[in-house]
Amino acid sequence: MRKIAVIGMGYVGLVTAAGFADLGNRVVGVDIVEEKIAQLREGKLPIYEPGLEEMVCRNMQAGRLSFTTSYAEALDGAEFAFIAVGTPPGANGEADLRYVEAAARSIAENMRNPLIVVNKSTVPVGTGDWVTQVIKKYQKEPIPFAVVSCPEFLREGSALYDFMHPHRIVLGSSDREAAEKVAQLHLPLRAPIMITDIRTAEMIKYASNAFLATKISFINEIANICEALGADVKEVAVGMGYDPRIGPHFLEAGLGFGGSCFPKDVQALAYAARVMGRHPQLLEAVLEINQDRRRMAVERVREMLGGSLRNHVVGLLGLAFKPNTDDMREAPSIDIARYLLEEGAHVRAYDPIAMENARRILPEIEYFPDPYSLAEGADALIVVTEWNEFKHLDLKRIKALMRRPVIYDGRNIYDPQTMFDLGFIYRGVGRGYPPPADPRPPGLTMEEPAALG
Ligand code: UDX
């Protein structure tokens, strides 16, 4: 049985640890936070991820997975050490590497046998080479080691599935043999494996996330234009998606991207470009469009309420940055709630699982136990997160409970016609808008249609 140490018991680290244990390896999870390790030993997880608790407990019982705060214990006899610590954004959008450095240093100080250090955290291009320097600097005696970059592409909410069914494994290293050993670890996953140099592997992660974020900002820009012209962006995306060069995925217009990855990764890539004297104009536009989504949602609701939000009761359906997670990092709900409060609205919210986390970030809003109590007496509701339970609400009951039947559907989960038929004042994102009063295409100056013949 191969022994693997995984450093950092956050999202990526826990999923990686549980996943490799489930594939039959002996895995030790390391974290410097004692409380976290104590809880994990009791089978309690610091994060919510479908299926993860069960997988962690099952592998602990089978003796394949354990947790410790001691690097020495974790690295003793380990062939691989995966670094999966956080890389939060710094003041200028750059990735803060202090946890990566601390992990590399602790690995160097505690390793007693040859080791392959595999970096999973999303780190700026060049970090792998720097980690090599850090380890060399802090090693007490020269024990051979190699550094391999193996970026993760996990989505929250389906991270275990993504771990077990990756679209590709990207490995980067100057040590081909080490990269091939890491490739072997991944063989049971039967995914295409690409081995390249370390900087290219690091770049693949950033470029992939930046491209996906670009798709989202692109469709959101198209949504804005659809609103002005009376077209339906949802149908536009379907029509575009049939072209295999475009593809149907990641073309959902809405309140924009949030979460722990896209905002910070696009910022970090743009920062790196600027520092190196390049002008990342597309990335900057992607971020700007994304921020505008949140302001725009508030603008639309203000319009729908007749021009002012003051003293109006606005309910947020959903708070998490996306469904099936309690993660509030960079969630659009945070900015939307704050903008609404700034304009004098009374803000309330309901989310199936993110309310506990939200309370810490947004203590100034009111929380309700279900969508119906949220709707009672509200002047407007905003669909912020597309939880499945919102798709199956008793909308007649919701309408009867509301003071004014205004719904701004920030995730396009309802059908505009159905909503109009039910008597709602309804707007989606890029849909549910009437065509402009003047039926002529914008810019057309002809007074009369040209006479036929
Ligand atoms: C993402 C990447 O998908 C993953 O590969 C990477 O490792 C980490 O970042 P995640 O942040 O978990 O994963 O969420 P994802 O499901 O990709 O959604 C990201 C954000 O984009 C969400 O806020 C979501 O609401 C938004 N989004 C996604 C859209 O607005 N429109 C879309 O069409 C798709």
Side-chain angles (χ1 to χ4, degrees), residues 212-424:
L212 292 169
T214 304
K215 267 189 120 172
I216 300 171
S217 279
F218 174 84
I219 201 68
N220 281 331
E221 179 147 306
I222 295 295
N224 276 352
I225 306 173
C226 284
E227 286 174 16
L229 298 177
D232 183 330
V233 75
K234 216 166 165 155
E235 301 279 305
V236 170
V238 172
M240 288 169 63
Y242 285 120
D243 184 331
R245 292 170 302 176
I246 298 173
H249 307 292
F250 264 72
L251 286 177
E252 271 166 47
L255 300 175
F257 54 82
S260 64
C261 289
F262 287 166
K264 116 176 137 65
D265 291 354
V266 181
Q267 273 169 28
L269 186 57
Y271 173 84
R274 279 194 299 271
V275 167
M276 301 310 287
R278 308 295 152 123
H279 180 192
Q281 44 194 323
L282 179 59
L283 301 181
E284 279 164 3
V286 166
L287 290 168
E288 198 182 316
I289 291 170
N290 200 52
Q291 193 56 37
D292 277 354
R293 308 310 295 159
R294 300 153 186 218
R295 282 192 208 98
M296 194 212 55
V298 174
E299 250 166 54
R300 293 290 175 273
V301 176
R302 192 199 308 118
E303 278 162 24
M304 291 163 86
L305 287 173
S308 168
L309 288 160
R310 185 149 303 279
N311 292 328
H312 284 112
V313 177
V314 181
L316 306 183
L317 280 166
L319 291 160
F321 86 95
K322 68 172 192 177
N324 302 321
T325 174
D326 63 351
D327 198 336
M328 285 294 294
R329 283 177 288 181
E330 301 281 338
S333 60
I334 303 171
D335 283 340
I336 291 175
R338 289 187 180 147
Y339 294 146
L340 287 166
L341 289 167
E342 274 168 24
E343 295 200 30
H346 301 291
V347 184
R348 43 164 84 169
Y350 162 74
D351 187 286
I353 60 170
M355 287 201 282
E356 213 180 296
N357 285 343
R359 265 178 224 274
R360 284 193 283 270
I361 305 165
L362 290 169
E364 60 276 61
I365 69 172
E366 245 189 302
Y367 294 88
F368 284 73
D370 61 82
Y372 300 101
S373 54
L374 179 85
E376 198 170 347
D379 295 299
L381 293 178
I382 306 179
V383 180
V384 181
T385 316
E386 65 276 35
W387 285 97
N388 266 338
E389 68 169 86
F390 300 155
K391 296 177 187 165
H392 307 294
L393 289 181
D394 178 348
L395 289 166
K396 274 194 187 138
R397 190 174 154 207
I398 292 279
K399 181 167 176 278
L401 287 166
M402 292 178 76
R403 194 154 63 184
R404 293 171 70 178
V406 170
I407 292 198
Y408 180 69
D409 182 356
R411 297 293 179 181
N412 287 341
I413 61 173
Y414 300 123
D415 172 51
Q417 193 57 51
T418 311
M419 299 304 276
F420 296 140
D421 292 347
L422 283 168
F424 280 103

Side-chain angles (χ1 to χ4, degrees), residues 204-215:
I204 287 172
K205 166 73 191 209
Y206 276 106
S208 301
N209 274 359
F211 185 77
L212 292 169
T214 304
K215 267 189 120 172

